Amino acid sequence: MLLSGNGIAVCAFLVWGLLPLYFQYIPNANVLEILSIRVLFSIPCIYLLLKALRIPMGKIWAAMHNKKTVFLCFLAGMFNFMSLYSFTWAVTHEQVLAASLGYFINPIFSIVFGVLFLKDRLSTFQSVAVALSIAGIGCQVYYYGELPWLSLIMGGAFALYGLMKKFIRLDALSIMMIELITILPLALGFLFHDLWQQTSVFQSGDTPKILLYLLSAPVTLIPLVLFSMAVERTNLIMIGFIQYIEPSIQFLLAVIVFGEALLQVKVMSFGLIWLGLLLCIIEMTFRKKRPPMQKALG
């Protein structure tokens, strides 16, 4: 199970769901610096994984001669950067519910992109689930009178990240290495800017905080590697629905652990979305138990 695309996706989203527990120790963080450190220190981490799996770096350098591959990897890296920025800002500024909603919205984008660009097909139950999810978001839009922009950017950018990977014909780790290399100049620019302005965490003298910033690289990289492997092995519709694990965990953390206010409209909104997820789980369970048509007819 754990070696299947769906099983790997479950592991990825379980880890992602628990990330707010880590970032609670970095309140009001410099998000751009955290993400830039993540890019810088993720490169040697990915390199070690490539060596362990005996994936030659020559394969990556050869792929980087393909302009289309480099461009798609750069786009993927930028979309991931945007999504992580929104997420990290939310969980370090007491907006875990907004992060949860963002990743509840993301499967809708993934499903729509899968249908539009990859010719995936929705079952009846999946179509109902999408409609319920849209209705859930609509409840919040109606109540607050505006779109939840932070959540939309977070969810939409991450869905585009997954979509880009479907068009790159390389293994997951090679794609991630090229992503990181292409956005490294941007990350270095942010780091040097903070050093120049003397606002860098490395100039603060706060050793625990520096360690938390540094460890954010492997902490966020682990689920991303798992996600990239899952995208290779299953379709975006399945990725979309499995991802509901993550925001469900974050929703519970926001309410139970971080004590964020849970208004009636949010209960209704999340309830509609969870109902859609339940329908998909029932459908998937039924499909697994149902015997093949040929055997049933025989």
Side-chain angles (χ1 to χ4, degrees), residues 28-50:
N28 302 310
N30 182 338
V31 179
L32 284 176
E33 186 169 24
I34 284 181
L35 295 184
S36 299
I37 290 171
R38 175 194 165 277
V39 171
L40 183 61
F41 285 89
S42 291
I43 289 177
C45 292
I46 293 293
Y47 175 77
L48 291 175
L49 283 172
L50 289 168

Side-chain angles (χ1 to χ4, degrees), residues 50-115:
L50 289 168
K51 294 290 287 184
L53 296 174
R54 297 182 180 179
I55 300 174
M57 282 296 295
K59 176 183 177 181
I60 294 173
W61 302 134
M64 291 188 69
H65 285 88
N66 185 314
K67 293 181 180 179
K68 180 181 177 181
T69 297
V70 172
F71 179 67
L72 288 173
C73 286
F74 172 74
L75 284 180
M78 289 303 299
F79 286 134
N80 187 40
F81 197 93
M82 290 169 57
S83 180
L84 280 175
Y85 180 92
S86 304
F87 170 77
T88 308
W89 189 94
V91 298
T92 56
H93 290 76
E94 300 180 352
Q95 296 290 324
V96 178
L97 273 179
S100 176
L101 179 61
Y103 288 125
F104 268 121
I105 293 173
N106 171 257
I108 299 172
F109 284 108
S110 293
I111 291 163
V112 171
F113 291 158
V115 172

Side-chain angles (χ1 to χ4, degrees), residues 209-251:
K209 189 174 183 180
I210 292 171
L211 288 175
L212 286 169
Y213 271 55
L214 292 174
L215 289 173
S216 67
V219 164
T220 56
L221 187 63
I222 290 169
L224 194 59
V225 170
L226 292 173
F227 172 78
S228 299
M229 293 170 64
V231 168
E232 285 184 321
R233 293 165 170 79
T234 189
N235 61 58
L236 285 187
I237 289 178
M238 288 306 304
I239 288 286
F241 286 113
I242 291 171
Q243 194 209 329
Y244 279 123
I245 292 170
E246 175 191 356
S248 297
I249 294 173
Q250 291 170 359
F251 177 88

Side-chain angles (χ1 to χ4, degrees), residues 6 8 30 40 48 51 56-57 63 102 111 119 137 139 143 150 156 177 192 207 216 225 238 247 257 285:
N6 294 342
I8 294 171
N30 182 338
L40 183 61
L48 291 175
K51 294 290 287 184
M57 282 296 295
I111 291 163
K119 299 181 179 179
I137 296 165
C139 287
Y143 181 84
L150 179 65
M177 177 62 92
F192 283 127
T207 302
S216 67
V225 170
M238 288 306 304
V257 178
T285 303

Side-chain angles (χ1 to χ4, degrees), residues 105-174:
I105 293 173
N106 171 257
I108 299 172
F109 284 108
S110 293
I111 291 163
V112 171
F113 291 158
V115 172
L116 291 178
F117 299 107
L118 303 176
K119 299 181 179 179
D120 292 337
R121 293 185 178 182
L122 289 175
S123 68
T124 301
F125 276 34
Q126 289 171 340
S127 299
V128 173
V130 170
L132 287 170
S133 299
I134 293 171
I137 296 165
C139 287
Q140 293 205 36
V141 173
Y142 177 79
Y143 181 84
Y144 291 109
E146 62 181 10
L147 290 169
W149 288 112
L150 179 65
S151 302
L152 286 171
I153 291 170
M154 187 188 311
F158 194 71
L160 286 169
Y161 174 65
L163 179 65
M164 290 299 103
K165 287 179 171 289
K166 285 293 187 180
F167 294 101
I168 306 171
R169 301 191 179 281
L170 284 172
D171 62 274
L173 288 178
S174 296

